[in-house]
Amino acid sequence: MDDLMGYVIGETSNTELNFLAKHMPEIGSYVSINYCDLEILGMVESVNQGCKIFEDVYNVKDFEKLKDFENNDSYYTIGKIKILGDVKNMQIPRIPPKPGTEVYDASEKILGEIFSKGTIEIGNLISADSKVKLDVNKLCSRHLAILAITGMGKSNTVSVLLEELNNIHATVLVFDMHREYVEIEAKNSTIRRNIIRPKINVYNMSYDALMSLAGVDPQATVQRAMGRRAMKKIKESKKEVDFNTVDEYINSIINELNYYMGMDEFKSKVDSILTLIMRFEDLMTFKDKITAINYNPIQDIKENYVNIVDISELDESSTDLIISYFTGEILKDRKKVLWDTKVAKPIFIIYEEAHLIVPQNRPTKSKIPISKIAREGRKFGVGICLVSQRPKTLDQESLSQCNNFIISKLIEPSDQKHVQHASENLSEDLLNQLPGLNVGEAVIIGPCLKIPAMVKIKRFEGEYGGEDVKFDELWTTEKEKNIPEFIESNELFNDDL
């Protein structure tokens, strides 16, 4: 079979070139060019088609007359190739090819050697049948960002990763904001799930964090000062094990604050103290779902399981506290394990809706521990994955620490530029492909692959909670329940009114 695609034309460089194509190539397809005893791999980044017959014709009648002379030989196709490196070492050649050099379709053997040597299968090349497998060591240690607009397959991508990671007995922790993965089930394998109820140890919380949980306004400086004083006094006199319940600990703080109420030096602060007491009383009533004592989240995490923290019922403030607490405790634990045993117990943490917890222009409690893991987590066996449909609002520093990207369709230029600033490997030409990607297609770049690839993410075979609601089906189902077609308006009101 003739796999000649065309010939190099025009001026060339060792990083990019143009070629005259024999047939229409697909954007994202791979080519090989042989010269100087090297086999060079390249990717088609753009394609232009023209016809000499119609050049400089701007009159419709003339155009229509010329169509009679139109045939397939009248058209030409010029493609632009980005040089990726020699097949053997993936190093950029030092000299460019000569014009006239033949350009061939890259063989399945070459593509298999480059894209199918990883650990976890993510999909197939858009332009070929070659499977794409990611290097899990570089994926997790160098961190990952999954970015796309809503409805382009982020949840499917995460589900595929969860199944693949589960198959190699990875320890994964997912902060599930929308109950997308709580009941995840795969058709061809058994995903070992461990659902974790989100809890936070009130004794181990910082003074300010506990007061934030209780709803104390950050600007209420007097309340916060009195709260810090009371908590510090309690911790100086009692250890965590001295308390059996959260209520016992909170009541000890309230009792200390009540004691201050009777002290002359605090007479001018009675109103503030009273308000603070009410906040702590409310904490026992409304925050009992997430508070705990004598608790560390590490005890709930199962090794070699997909651990899912269901935070779907929490408000944004509580979500931030939970994620901050879990993340900080995990990093401390992995450091301790490594120092004690010299063997890291790796864990991969997935943060859904990452733009809410590590936003670009406002502080959150989660920002500090997540940024810390992004900078130094790989040394302690902690990898992170940031998932977001709003890249431009995602913290640039944290995003730039993610060396691996799975990027689906992004339309807004501001989103595209934000991602490009974070990734040195996202070229302008690849950036231009993002708006044209279809559902389930993505550009994957980073050390988890030898070279960038445009990939059709495989469909997750099973069930998860991230798929769109079928409005028409649900409405039709309701219609079949014989709901009355018309209700007299006066039936809706009480006759006595």
Side-chain angles (χ1 to χ4, degrees):
M1 181 179 177
D2 183 15
D3 58 357
L4 178 65
M5 287 190 68
Y7 302 90
V8 175
I9 60 171
E11 293 184 352
T12 64
S13 76
N14 66 329
T15 58
E16 63 181 27
L17 53 88
N18 292 324
F19 75 106
L20 184 64
K22 288 183 64 179
H23 54 82
M24 180 65 68
E26 289 187 20
I27 293 175
S29 59
Y30 294 89
V31 300
S32 63
I33 307 168
N34 298 300
Y35 67 97
C36 294
D37 297 323
L38 293 173
E39 185 171 18
I40 303 299
L41 188 72
M43 184 173 73
V44 178
E45 289 199 322
S46 64
V47 176
N48 295 307
Q49 191 173 36
C51 180
K52 287 292 185 181
I53 293 176
F54 301 123
E55 285 187 5
D56 300 322
V57 178
Y58 302 105
N59 184 285
V60 173
K61 290 184 178 180
D62 291 342
F63 191 94
E64 290 173 343
K65 290 176 182 178
L66 287 172
K67 282 186 68 68
D68 294 335
F69 298 95
E70 174 192 5
N71 57 61
N72 289 335
D73 294 333
S74 307
Y75 290 86
Y76 63 89
T77 302
I78 296 177
K80 181 181 178 182
I81 296 173
K82 178 180 177 62
I83 299 296
L84 301 172
D86 68 279
V87 171
K88 187 176 180 180
N89 300 310
M90 295 313 299
Q91 293 182 345
I92 300 296
R94 293 186 179 277
I95 60 175
K98 293 179 180 179
T101 302
E102 295 173 329
V103 177
Y104 292 89
D105 278 313
S107 68
E108 291 294 325
K109 181 181 178 183
I110 290 175
L111 297 178
E113 286 292 323
I114 292 172
F115 294 110
S116 301
K117 296 297 184 181
T119 315
I120 58 177
E121 183 181 336
I122 192 68
N124 285 66
L125 293 174
I126 290 177
S127 60
D129 293 329
S130 299
K131 292 182 178 179
V132 177
K133 296 184 178 181
L134 308 180
D135 183 329
V136 73
N137 292 322
K138 292 179 180 178
L139 180 77
C140 296
S141 66
R142 300 296 177 179
H143 311 309
L144 170 67
I146 300 175
L147 309 171
I149 61 175
T150 301
M152 293 306 297
K154 292 188 303 300
S155 298
N156 178 75
T157 301
V158 172
S159 298
V160 169
L161 282 175
L162 291 179
E163 182 178 16
E164 290 290 322
L165 289 168
N166 186 73
N167 288 339
I168 61 171
H169 292 80
T171 303
V172 184
L173 184 72
V174 185
F175 290 102
D176 191 356
M177 287 199 177
H178 305 298
R179 291 186 62 85
E180 291 180 282
Y181 312 106
V182 168
E183 297 180 1
I184 186 172
E185 290 185 1
K187 185 179 294 184
N188 301 316
S189 65
T190 301
I191 296 181
R192 295 177 300 279
R193 287 180 292 132
N194 176 41
I195 311 304
I196 298 176
R197 178 187 172 188
K199 290 181 287 185
I200 188 167
N201 190 322
V202 292
Y203 188 91
N204 287 342
M205 291 179 74
S206 69
Y207 304 139
D208 286 333
L210 182 55
M211 282 186 281
S212 293
L213 186 66
V216 180
D217 193 302
Q219 305 303 318
T221 54
V222 175
Q223 291 180 40
R224 290 202 165 231
M226 300 308 298
R228 288 174 65 90
R229 180 182 180 124
M231 282 183 269
K232 186 177 180 181
K233 182 69 178 295
I234 298 301
K235 288 187 175 183
E236 286 174 350
S237 59
K238 291 187 177 183
K239 297 181 180 179
E240 184 180 359
V241 293
D242 294 328
F243 301 100
N244 295 315
T245 65
V246 172
D247 286 0
E248 283 186 17
Y249 176 60
I250 300 300
N251 275 319
S252 68
I253 298 173
I254 292 173
N255 290 337
E256 183 69 16
L257 291 171
N258 277 321
Y259 173 71
Y260 296 160
M261 293 273 288
M263 297 177 65
D264 290 340
E265 63 177 299
F266 298 132
K267 279 186 178 181
S268 62
K269 299 179 175 62
V270 167
D271 289 343
S272 295
I273 297 173
L274 187 58
T275 301
L276 183 57
I277 290 172
M278 293 169 61
R279 298 294 186 201
F280 280 114
E281 289 174 344
D282 289 343
L283 176 63
M284 290 189 291
T285 304
F286 299 111
K287 298 291 184 180
D288 59 321
K289 286 185 178 181
I290 64 170
T291 54
I293 200 80
N294 296 306
Y295 170 77
N296 189 310
I298 303 302
Q299 68 196 46
D300 284 344
I301 298 174
K302 288 187 178 181
E303 299 291 331
N304 313 120
Y305 273 68
V306 174
N307 299 272
I308 302 166
V309 184
D310 182 5
I311 52 178
S312 58
E313 296 183 359
L314 302 184
D315 58 30
E316 192 170 323
S317 175
S318 298
T319 294
D320 184 27
L321 284 169
I322 287 291
I323 291 176
S324 172
Y325 176 58
F326 270 67
T327 302
E329 291 299 319
I330 288 169
L331 185 58
K332 280 196 298 184
D333 175 73
R334 274 3 187 202
K335 284 183 177 181
K336 184 177 185 299
V337 169
L338 187 61
W339 292 333
D340 290 348
T341 66
K342 308 301 180 186
V343 178
K345 297 193 302 181
I347 185 170
F348 191 57
I349 309 174
I350 299 176
Y351 300 95
E352 283 279 341
E353 305 287 355
H355 52 276
L356 297 178
I357 55 175
V358 279
Q360 172 71 3
N361 295 317
R362 62 184 176 85
T364 62
K365 291 177 174 58
S366 300
K367 213 169 186 178
I368 296 174
I370 291 176
S371 297
K372 195 169 185 179
I373 287 181
R375 291 193 305 271
E376 58 186 59
R378 64 185 180 87
K379 296 183 292 186
F380 304 102
V382 185
I384 63 171
C385 172
L386 304 179
V387 184
S388 176
Q389 70 267 25
R390 299 177 62 189
K392 66 183 178 184
T393 63
L394 196 54
D395 179 52
Q396 186 78 49
E397 181 184 350
S398 299
L399 189 61
S400 65
Q401 295 296 328
C402 295
N403 297 137
N404 299 292
F405 289 82
I406 299 178
I407 312 171
S408 296
K409 189 168 190 171
L410 290 178
I411 297 176
E412 285 194 33
S414 54
D415 279 332
Q416 297 172 15
K417 291 298 182 184
H418 193 75
V419 175
Q420 190 180 34
H421 289 156
S423 173
E424 298 176 352
N425 297 319
L426 185 59
S427 68
E428 192 72 33
D429 291 299
L430 278 177
L431 192 71
N432 292 335
Q433 303 306 319
L434 298 181
L437 293 173
N438 298 312
V439 176
E441 296 177 348
V443 171
I444 301 181
I445 55 178
C448 65
L449 278 179
K450 289 184 178 180
I451 56 176
M454 294 177 66
V455 179
K456 177 67 176 177
I457 307 296
K458 70 178 182 178
R459 180 72 179 171
F460 176 71
E461 295 294 332
E463 296 181 0
Y464 62 93
E467 298 183 286
D468 291 343
V469 172
K470 301 289 192 298
F471 282 79
D472 57 346
E473 292 180 11
L474 292 173
W475 281 334
T476 301
T477 302
E478 289 297 314
K479 181 180 179 181
E480 292 170 353
K481 292 180 180 179
N482 296 319
I483 298 174
E485 295 290 334
F486 179 73
I487 299 176
E488 292 288 348
S489 60
N490 61 0
E491 291 180 20
L492 301 178
F493 299 93
N494 189 307
D495 291 339
D496 295 332
L497 295 180

